[in-house]
Amino acid sequence: MRAVIFDAIGATPEVREVPEPVAPDGGVVVRVHATGLCRSDWHAWAGHDEIALPHVPGHELAGVVSAVGAGVAKWRVGDRVTVPFVCGCGECEWCRQGDAQVCPDQEQPGFTHWGSFAEYVALHAADTNLVAVPETVSFEAAASLGCRFATAYRGLVGRAQVAAGEWVTVIGAGGVGLSAVMIAKALGARVVAVDRNPEALAVAKQLGADHVVVSGGEDGAEVATAVHDLTIGGSHVAVDAVGSEETCSDAIHSLRRRGRHVQIGLLPPVDGHPRVPMARVIAWELDLLGSHGMAAVDYPGMLALIEQGTLRPQDLIERVVGLDEAAAMLPTFDRATVAGMTMIHPVTTN
Ligand SMILES: [Zn+2]
Ligand SMILES: [Zn+2]
């Protein structure tokens, strides 16, 4: 099969013929019809995750089951499926209580094994992790859920429990941030979107953001001050959808007293651990909430809103590319100023 592959950390990704995966016991192989290109793929390529080399990235996918391993009860060849980027083991106490997103024995395609920038991908513990994709939901829309959209959904619904009328500040208007804007508006919240890129903020406006704030640079606003002015006292919920010391701090400082901060962007350590403004967290009694994807068992509520048209993840897709273009884009993805999601079609004739 054809796949995007790199042989060393930071090496130029290539498209090559590689062996097709075999369905593991309890798992399946999926023919990939659509797979998203995400900043997490760049983190793996840049050496921020423990991966075995050579490596095939890709963790946001949808497709059709092409092979079924021993012991799988619920899935058949030909089923349309997607999967959360965190695949739980299905057996531990967290998986049994429906929290496979924090399973200590989790597998992640594109990180713990070869991922979906390929014609085929192996997925583990299929009965725990696969999600049926309704005929009315496209492969592209389904692939966009696996990481960024589902993480934003769980961050706002499951973790921060956003209520109608609350202010939600979203820092970063990339894939996860724009997902958060769309979901917050669907929940009836009022939204402030913050980004360095005015083009990305224009998309956030189209998705319903009530206010946008351009950050950084000489003309950029001081984010927390701008948010406090717009929301008269700070937002109830803030989301760091970027993952940097600055964006995390801006998000926390933009909260009102007793606000809830949701950290979604991966936060690389500075001197061993990220620096977080804990003095404000204590004095204002802020809640810090992590969000790490969403278990397959929680997908039906989100999929119902997509089928109704209340949530339209397909509107977040800005461009569709092939494997060759994806290989070229991967090394620059940390600096990409493009708005919206990039979707890959690994198979030219779907
Ligand atoms: Zn588990
Ligand atoms: Zn992702």
Side-chain angles (χ1 to χ4, degrees), residues 6 28 31 36 48 63 70 72 76 81 87-88 117 123 165 190 218 225 227 243 258-260 276 282 297 308 316 334:
F6 52 88
V28 299
R31 183 169 169 84
H48 301 160
V72 173
R76 301 282 174 269
V81 296
C87 292
F117 291 2
L123 300 172
R190 292 173 288 172
E218 286 175 15
T225 306
V227 172
R258 304 221 62 214
R260 294 99 78 195
V276 175
I282 295 161
V297 74
Q308 289 164 20
L316 302 173
D334 63 320

XYZ file of all heavy atoms in Angstrom, residues 6 28 31 36 48 63 70 72 76 81 87-88 117 123 165 190 218 225 227 243 258-260 276 282 297 308 316 334:
221
model
N 8.217 8.428 7.468
C 9.530 9.063 7.683
C 10.418 8.115 8.469
O 9.955 7.336 9.294
C 9.418 10.454 8.314
C 8.599 10.551 9.578
C 9.193 10.331 10.817
C 7.255 10.894 9.527
C 8.456 10.445 11.988
C 6.509 11.006 10.701
C 7.099 10.770 11.927
N -9.310 -4.606 13.863
C -9.678 -4.635 12.443
C -8.633 -3.877 11.632
O -7.806 -3.153 12.179
C -11.065 -3.962 12.202
C -12.179 -4.687 12.951
C -11.042 -2.487 12.583
N -9.858 0.372 5.496
C -9.426 1.085 4.289
C -9.770 2.556 4.506
O -10.933 2.899 4.736
C -10.149 0.527 3.070
C -9.707 1.146 1.753
C -10.286 0.335 0.585
N -10.143 0.979 -0.696
C -9.059 0.920 -1.469
N -7.997 0.248 -1.061
N -9.028 1.522 -2.634
N -7.461 13.294 8.661
C -7.125 14.701 8.887
C -5.645 14.896 9.189
O -4.992 14.029 9.772
N 8.334 14.878 19.642
C 7.745 15.171 20.954
C 6.976 13.987 21.547
O 6.456 14.074 22.648
C 6.815 16.395 20.860
C 7.520 17.626 20.375
N 6.864 18.706 19.842
C 8.836 17.940 20.339
C 7.743 19.633 19.487
N 8.945 19.190 19.781
N -13.329 5.314 7.390
C -13.207 4.435 6.231
C -14.104 3.234 6.380
O -15.117 3.277 7.087
N -9.466 -11.985 15.023
C -10.137 -12.975 15.867
C -10.774 -12.294 17.068
O -10.200 -11.364 17.638
C -9.126 -14.019 16.332
N -13.542 -10.443 17.375
C -14.339 -9.216 17.228
C -15.806 -9.618 17.057
O -16.135 -10.427 16.188
C -13.877 -8.382 16.016
C -14.812 -7.195 15.780
C -12.443 -7.915 16.225
N -18.095 -6.008 10.935
C -17.980 -6.857 9.756
C -17.267 -6.094 8.653
O -17.322 -4.859 8.609
C -19.382 -7.236 9.224
C -20.266 -7.985 10.210
C -19.866 -9.462 10.317
N -20.635 -10.137 11.365
C -20.249 -10.238 12.646
N -19.115 -9.703 13.048
N -20.996 -10.883 13.526
N -16.894 3.160 9.336
C -16.511 3.408 10.736
C -15.578 4.604 10.862
O -14.894 5.008 9.924
C -15.799 2.179 11.356
C -16.731 0.984 11.440
C -14.530 1.828 10.606
N -7.524 4.873 21.501
C -8.237 3.596 21.493
C -7.934 2.881 22.810
O -6.786 2.499 23.071
C -7.784 2.737 20.320
S -8.274 3.410 18.721
N -8.956 2.706 23.653
C -8.778 2.047 24.944
C -8.612 0.547 24.785
O -8.951 -0.028 23.751
N -2.177 7.869 7.455
C -1.728 8.518 6.212
C -1.291 7.411 5.261
O -0.148 7.332 4.827
C -0.569 9.483 6.475
C -0.921 10.724 7.247
C -2.208 10.933 7.711
C 0.037 11.691 7.492
C -2.534 12.072 8.428
C -0.282 12.843 8.202
C -1.569 13.031 8.671
N -6.564 -1.076 13.640
C -7.162 -0.487 14.843
C -7.388 -1.578 15.869
O -7.845 -2.679 15.530
C -8.494 0.192 14.494
C -8.401 1.325 13.462
C -9.793 1.780 13.045
C -7.587 2.492 14.000
N -25.796 31.095 27.345
C -25.635 32.446 27.881
C -24.268 32.721 28.472
O -23.922 33.879 28.700
N -21.963 32.592 24.364
C -21.415 33.734 23.629
C -19.912 33.533 23.547
O -19.292 33.113 24.533
C -21.759 35.037 24.351
C -23.267 35.338 24.316
C -23.628 36.522 25.178
N -23.539 36.189 26.594
C -23.658 37.092 27.593
N -23.850 38.357 27.303
N -23.579 36.703 28.852
N 2.877 43.727 16.950
C 2.871 45.078 17.495
C 1.464 45.652 17.617
O 1.186 46.451 18.510
C 3.746 45.988 16.627
C 5.214 45.701 16.861
C 6.134 46.483 15.957
O 5.674 47.449 15.345
O 7.306 46.092 15.887
N -6.955 41.564 28.887
C -7.621 42.864 29.035
C -8.763 42.992 28.029
O -9.869 43.436 28.379
C -6.605 44.003 28.805
O -5.493 43.784 29.677
C -7.216 45.357 29.085
N -10.476 40.626 26.592
C -11.587 39.723 26.924
C -12.373 40.257 28.124
O -13.609 40.231 28.122
C -11.077 38.288 27.194
C -12.203 37.403 27.724
C -10.482 37.686 25.924
N -1.844 25.544 22.916
C -0.864 24.796 23.694
C 0.481 25.479 23.696
O 1.426 25.018 23.068
N -14.001 32.256 39.494
C -14.604 30.925 39.541
C -14.813 30.323 38.150
O -15.628 29.415 37.960
C -15.925 30.940 40.329
C -15.751 31.486 41.757
C -16.543 30.704 42.790
N -16.107 29.336 42.864
C -16.916 28.307 43.117
N -18.204 28.500 43.321
N -16.437 27.093 43.170
N -14.071 30.842 37.164
C -14.182 30.334 35.796
C -13.529 28.972 35.626
O -12.826 28.478 36.515
N -13.775 28.371 34.440
C -13.239 27.026 34.147
C -12.329 27.109 32.916
O -12.755 27.574 31.857
C -14.377 26.031 33.850
C -15.295 25.736 35.026
C -16.579 26.545 34.956
N -17.531 26.009 34.005
C -18.587 26.684 33.546
N -18.821 27.938 33.945
N -19.402 26.138 32.683
N 2.374 27.620 34.646
C 0.947 27.962 34.639
C 0.724 28.993 35.750
O 1.284 28.839 36.838
C 0.103 26.689 34.892
C -1.376 27.025 35.017
C 0.318 25.669 33.775
N -5.592 30.057 42.236
C -5.945 29.950 43.661
C -6.841 31.121 44.074
O -7.933 30.922 44.620
C -4.660 29.940 44.516
C -3.839 28.684 44.202
C -4.994 30.010 46.010
C -2.388 28.775 44.625
N -17.924 5.502 23.288
C -19.232 5.349 23.919
C -19.967 6.693 24.032
O -21.185 6.735 24.124
C -19.047 4.658 25.299
C -18.444 5.608 26.331
C -20.342 4.057 25.799
N -28.581 15.919 12.697
C -29.618 16.969 12.681
C -29.159 18.226 11.956
O -29.972 19.088 11.635
C -29.951 17.409 14.117
C -30.716 16.409 14.955
C -30.644 16.784 16.434
O -30.351 17.928 16.786
N -30.898 15.815 17.304
N -15.730 22.882 8.560
C -14.401 23.258 9.047
C -13.293 22.806 8.094
O -12.136 23.164 8.261
C -14.152 22.643 10.428
C -15.178 23.035 11.495
C -14.939 22.245 12.768
C -15.109 24.528 11.778
N 3.543 23.233 12.024
C 3.544 24.073 13.237
C 3.469 25.547 12.875
O 3.025 26.358 13.668
C 4.800 23.803 14.065
C 6.061 24.181 13.307
O 6.120 23.918 12.092
O 6.979 24.734 13.929
